[in-house]
Amino acid sequence: MSIPIKTPKQIDTMKAAGEVVYNVHQALKDLIVPGVTTYDLDQEARSLCVKYNAAPAFLNYPASDKNTKAFPAVICASPNEVIVHGIPNKTPLKNGDILSIDFGCCVSGYYGDSAWTYPVGEISEQAKKLLKVTENSLNAAIRACFPGNRIGGISQAVQDVVDAAGFGIVREFVGHGIGEKMHEPPAVPNYGVKTQGRVLKAGMVLAIEPMITLGSYKVKIMEDGWTASTLDDSLAAHFEHTVAVTNKGPVVLTNPNIS
Ligand code: MG
Ligand code: MG
């Protein structure tokens, strides 16, 4: 499948969605303390979408499985052993939890998508290391986003960082192209070698999203049909940015303060 190429002007337009995604994350980050519920966080994200005139990307997203209802919330809220696609609920967060928030939206016809794992209060040293390694793996992947490199260069950059730490790399879920649609080609796996995959070109925009575990990389899907947890219930982290490949190098659309 051909990979959509955006013009510099389209990439500029995509910055609007990216900035809303960034602002929503910053607002939610400040609310993540022991006692708050992921339902509260979702309500806040809903109001912010109205404020910014942004269409939430995950609300009513259809499930691939016919027996599962469309996604019911604006954010994915995935605590502790949940890797991705957690549904917000009214269980209060506890000191020592970690919480992955994934949020995407559409502004001016283009999507932005970013995830981050936040500490709730004071977390364990192992949890801190998991968050740091996953963030580092995302940053290494972003630095691989130059025209002429391959998708495999992004994959290998993630894998090198995570393998060195001895953590697990989730394989069932991968990053993706993004633009006029939330999910576009190509798939962007978090494991692989730099000689493989399509060649990156200026104008490609990719959502890069390592999902990393303290234990097994294997996944189980819970009864709601959405929640994806680690098979062994070990902690999982998820960091994601929407990144444009340009002739000047990577441009992180979902954080206006970097590159
Ligand atoms: Mg996402
Ligand atoms: Mg994504």
Side-chain angles (χ1 to χ4, degrees):
M1 262 199 288
S2 76
I3 301 173
I5 299 290
K6 283 86 178 172
T7 64
K9 192 162 177 249
Q10 286 173 310
I11 289 173
D12 253 359
T13 308
M14 288 188 75
K15 287 178 179 166
E19 196 167 334
V20 171
V21 170
Y22 176 79
N23 289 341
V24 168
H25 268 283
Q26 293 316 299
L28 296 184
K29 176 186 177 181
D30 290 340
L31 300 175
I32 298 172
V33 292
V36 80
T37 72
T38 51
Y39 173 84
D40 298 331
L41 299 174
D42 188 62
Q43 291 298 110
E44 180 62 19
R46 275 175 202 247
S47 332
L48 290 169
C49 285
V50 173
K51 175 181 164 186
Y52 292 123
N53 204 14
F58 305 159
L59 183 64
N60 297 322
Y61 197 91
S64 49
D65 162 20
K66 275 188 199 136
N67 299 318
T68 300
K69 291 194 201 112
F71 195 78
V74 165
I75 57 169
C76 296
S78 305
N80 300 321
E81 75 282 1
V82 181
I83 305 162
V84 287
H85 306 162
I87 298 172
N89 63 41
K90 293 190 173 175
T91 307
L93 295 169
K94 300 185 307 293
N95 185 58
D97 285 346
I98 59 173
L99 178 68
S100 300
I101 301 270
D102 196 351
F103 173 72
C105 69
C106 185
V107 177
S108 306
Y110 292 92
Y111 285 86
D113 185 14
S114 174
W116 211 258
T117 304
Y118 299 100
V120 183
E122 192 58 38
I123 62 172
S124 71
E125 288 306 311
Q126 269 296 82
K128 280 182 195 166
K129 189 177 176 199
L130 174 66
L131 269 50
K132 192 33 86 182
V133 166
T134 310
E135 185 179 356
N136 288 348
S137 75
L138 172 60
N139 289 333
I142 291 168
R143 289 195 294 272
C145 287
F146 277 85
N149 288 354
R150 291 177 182 272
I151 294 290
I154 296 171
S155 309
Q156 183 176 332
V158 172
Q159 187 171 3
D160 284 349
V161 171
V162 178
D163 282 356
F167 294 159
I169 300 174
V170 171
R171 280 142 168 78
E172 265 92 338
F173 304 104
V174 296
H176 49 94
I178 180 168
E180 290 172 58
K181 293 188 194 136
M182 178 72 188
H183 295 105
E184 296 181 349
V188 185
N190 295 305
Y191 54 93
V193 290
K194 63 184 179 187
T195 48
Q196 288 180 337
R198 304 280 291 268
V199 176
L200 299 180
K201 293 194 178 113
M204 290 182 182
V205 182
L206 306 171
I208 302 172
E209 48 181 317
M211 288 151 264
I212 307 304
T213 70
L214 273 186
S216 171
Y217 64 83
K218 293 195 176 150
V219 173
K220 59 185 171 193
I221 305 296
M222 309 311 278
E223 267 177 20
D224 59 33
W226 282 106
T227 307
S229 296
T230 52
L231 187 61
D232 61 2
D233 291 327
S234 63
L235 291 180
H238 180 205
F239 284 71
E240 174 183 33
H241 271 313
T242 297
V243 182
V245 179
T246 79
N247 286 323
K248 292 178 187 159
V251 177
V252 179
L253 299 177
T254 41
N255 185 343
N257 301 319
I258 49 177
S259 74

